Amino acid sequence: LDQAQAPLLNVFGGKITTYRKLAEAALAKIGEALPGISGNWTAGVAMPGGDFPVTDVAKLTAKLAADYPFLSPYATRRLIRAYGLEAWDVLGDAESSADLGADLGATITAQELDWAIANEWVRSGEDFLWRRSKLGLRLDEAQRAAVNDYVIANLTRPSA
């Protein structure tokens, strides 16, 4: 922690499997300059949408497939893995694939991007495709550009 001027902490690298430990270590360092920061608490808290036993993933996947029968098995699994219980919020009242808007590849739809912009603060295609997942690996360059263009075009659009 550099305290020569304004406190600055740089973090490079890290893995998705250790993000909580890394965040807690970073906060411990920042706490040296900002007293009053609370201690570690994240280990016992579910991620958004993840407040269910891991043994229920198959049950939730089956329920999502029943509630949205137009989804492919891949899309159903992907949405449960990415959003957990929030998958229903992502899909809303859609009754068909057409209700989800444009399919931008790898089952990414306009509705999912709209939800991610509003609820996960997505600000670019790269942010959506690489920050929480590696969906960018499933898209070609033109599809990745289309996701980015969609996100950028819809950042300031008022939500419905």
Side-chain angles (χ1 to χ4, degrees):
L1 183 65
D2 180 357
Q3 293 191 42
Q5 296 179 17
L8 171 68
L9 175 68
N10 291 304
V11 178
F12 299 95
K15 297 183 345 185
I16 196 161
T17 56
T18 59
Y19 69 95
R20 287 183 192 216
K21 289 284 187 196
L22 181 61
E24 288 174 350
L27 282 174
K29 277 294 201 193
I30 292 170
E32 295 172 14
L34 302 171
I37 291 179
S38 64
N40 299 348
W41 59 270
T42 62
V45 178
M47 295 294 291
D51 194 14
F52 61 88
V54 71
T55 55
D56 285 356
V57 169
K59 187 186 316 179
L60 288 171
T61 302
K63 180 167 175 25
L64 190 69
D67 290 349
Y68 299 93
F70 54 87
L71 292 175
S72 70
Y74 168 75
T76 305
R77 282 189 312 273
R78 183 182 75 74
L79 290 167
I80 288 295
R81 288 178 180 156
Y83 302 105
L85 296 172
E86 291 185 338
W88 283 264
D89 297 332
V90 172
L91 297 168
D93 59 1
E95 295 180 2
S96 70
S97 295
D99 292 338
L100 298 176
D103 182 336
L104 298 159
T107 73
I108 300 164
T109 63
Q111 181 149 328
E112 180 179 3
L113 290 174
D114 290 341
W115 187 90
I117 291 165
N119 295 282
E120 296 191 335
W121 310 288
V122 165
R123 294 297 175 255
S124 69
E126 183 174 296
D127 188 20
F128 179 82
L129 294 171
W130 301 105
R131 180 172 49 99
R132 279 195 61 177
S133 71
K134 299 295 179 248
L135 279 170
L137 295 171
R138 294 185 168 271
L139 303 177
D140 62 30
E141 187 175 334
Q143 291 170 314
R144 288 190 299 271
V147 168
N148 188 62
D149 292 346
Y150 184 92
V151 170
I152 299 303
N154 289 282
L155 282 176
T156 58
R157 183 180 57 133
S159 58

